[in-house]
Amino acid sequence: MMAAVGAADVAAGPSLGFLPLMSLGPAFASLVGGWRRTAGIGVIALLLCAGLGWYEELSDVRRGSMTLASVIGVTAAGLVAVSMRQKREAELDSVRSIAEAAQRVLLKPVPRLAGQVRAAVSYMSAVAEARIGGDLYEVVATPHGVRVIVGDVQGKGLEAVETAAVVLGAFREAAPDETDLAEVGRRLERAVDRQLDGEKFVTAILAEVRGEEATFLNFGHPAPLLIRADTTVTWPEPPSYALPLGLGAHGTVRPEPYGTDFLPGDQLLLYTDGITEARDEDGRFYPLEDRAHLLKDNDAESALETLRQDLLHHVNGPLHDDAAMLLLRHRPHHCGTTPDAGLP
């Protein structure tokens, strides 16, 4: 930029007075560089101004002094801006590290192997620079089978994160203790009713995998996608949908557990509506059922990543809602092995 200004000044001559524009160099340097770079660019701008003034035999001392003063002033302002920017960047780094710690506490990495289930998860926040949001998930290996939850808190921001923490805390406490999945759901209802004011809610689906059967409890959440070993796709839906968590004060009937076969080689995808409601440029929703064939990779994490990349390609831009996916694969139980939720 300063070279262009210098060339224009030489070509036009001293009559047009391009030299004050040399201050653009340190001004833009402060936006991307540190104080050393900004100061260095400022010194170069001063030398160029002095050299060009001598070359053009600039006789107006007052005009030359104003040119040098403008470069010095902009450089000084740039150094102040660099200091303030670096301070904000340090604060942002601190906030980001806190957010990452909160993510590790709130959304823990799911175990890759839990009993007869291989699990993988994908989470994308719609908030720029955010690591966590209103979607939640968890996988817990219990004496009563492998129990999972996927949920979506109404709204965004810190309030949604706090509500998600309440739901996950209640689930992690109840899942190993209760023998009945419906009782786990009732404990979640009580926890959410104490937290929310009656206007906000949480859609959630609970699943329990025991042997070759999967049992669900649906609180107003999208039905899971079941992909059979022969690539047949079904949507296990409840006989009737119940209201989400937090709306129990309206006196509606609680959800009833319902089940389906979950055989070796089958896959179960639980997700939030940020997946199915993602739109392309023409307003078309993401066709999840048509994309089920993408989950064919032998590695569950790689298969889920392929689906995630296809979703981002469909949207071709930022997501407008948090999007979580939890993939469960039923793996055959080999003789001489013991299911272990703690396997890496």
Side-chain angles (χ1 to χ4, degrees):
M1 183 181 299
M2 292 189 298
V5 170
D9 187 74
V10 170
S15 59
L16 293 181
F18 280 105
L19 283 183
L21 294 179
M22 283 291 179
S23 59
L24 292 175
F28 281 94
S30 65
L31 298 178
V32 295
W35 68 268
R36 288 187 180 88
R37 181 176 182 179
T38 302
I41 296 296
V43 170
I44 294 174
L46 285 172
L47 293 176
L48 286 173
C49 287
L52 288 172
W54 173 81
Y55 173 77
E56 295 172 351
E57 298 180 353
L58 189 61
S59 59
D60 191 343
V61 177
R62 182 178 179 183
R63 183 175 158 192
S65 299
M66 291 300 296
T67 298
L68 296 177
S70 65
V71 173
I72 294 173
V74 172
T75 302
L79 292 173
V80 174
V82 167
S83 176
M84 297 176 63
R85 175 173 58 82
Q86 290 178 338
K87 182 179 180 181
R88 288 195 298 268
E89 288 175 350
E91 292 173 350
L92 180 60
D93 288 339
S94 177
V95 171
R96 185 178 290 113
S97 65
I98 294 172
E100 290 174 349
Q103 182 189 36
R104 288 192 294 269
V105 173
L106 181 59
L107 297 178
K108 300 178 182 178
V110 300
R112 294 185 61 188
L113 297 177
Q116 292 295 101
V117 173
R118 185 182 298 275
V121 68
S122 173
Y123 179 79
M124 295 172 286
S125 175
V127 181
E129 298 296 333
R131 305 300 178 97
I132 53 179
D135 286 1
L136 57 97
Y137 56 82
E138 182 59 290
V139 177
V140 179
T142 76
H144 321 293
V146 178
R147 288 176 170 173
V148 305
I149 182 173
V150 171
D152 186 358
V153 180
Q154 179 203 23
K156 296 181 177 67
L158 291 178
E159 290 186 1
V161 174
E162 291 173 356
T163 303
V166 170
V167 175
L168 286 172
F171 176 78
R172 288 165 179 162
E173 181 180 354
D177 295 340
E178 302 295 341
T179 58
D180 186 11
L181 187 64
E183 186 57 34
V184 177
R186 282 189 281 272
R187 288 181 60 171
L188 293 182
E189 286 182 292
R190 290 194 293 268
V192 173
D193 288 341
R194 289 193 298 266
Q195 171 73 15
L196 301 184
D197 56 10
E199 296 182 357
K200 297 185 179 298
F201 57 86
V202 182
T203 68
I205 183 168
L206 281 65
E208 176 186 281
V209 177
R210 183 186 300 186
E212 296 184 349
E213 183 178 0
T215 304
F216 305 98
L217 194 66
N218 196 315
F219 292 90
H221 199 79
L225 181 68
L226 179 60
I227 307 167
R228 297 293 186 186
D230 61 0
T231 70
T232 303
V233 176
T234 60
W235 302 82
E237 296 193 61
S240 60
Y241 276 88
L243 288 179
L245 295 166
L247 300 180
H250 295 274
T252 57
V253 179
R254 288 191 174 96
E256 294 294 330
Y258 65 101
T260 185
D261 294 336
F262 189 48
L263 307 175
D266 290 350
Q267 300 185 84
L268 187 64
L269 182 68
L270 292 84
Y271 54 90
T272 58
D273 59 10
I275 302 295
T276 52
E277 294 182 1
R279 299 172 182 260
D280 62 10
E281 296 175 350
D282 298 324
R284 292 172 296 192
F285 292 113
Y286 183 67
L288 181 59
E289 183 175 358
D290 295 339
R291 298 296 197 271
H293 67 278
L294 297 176
L295 298 171
K296 60 185 179 181
D297 196 293
N298 291 331
D299 181 73
E301 287 82 4
S302 298
L304 203 55
E305 177 62 18
T306 301
L307 186 63
R308 188 184 77 89
Q309 291 297 332
D310 185 73
L311 172 67
L312 295 176
H313 178 74
H314 174 84
V315 176
N316 193 28
L319 294 175
H320 298 291
D321 194 6
D322 297 335
M325 295 183 288
L326 179 62
L327 179 64
L328 306 178
R329 287 180 168 178
H330 193 296
R331 62 191 185 98
H333 177 60
H334 299 289
C335 295
T337 62
T338 302
D340 184 1
L343 288 175

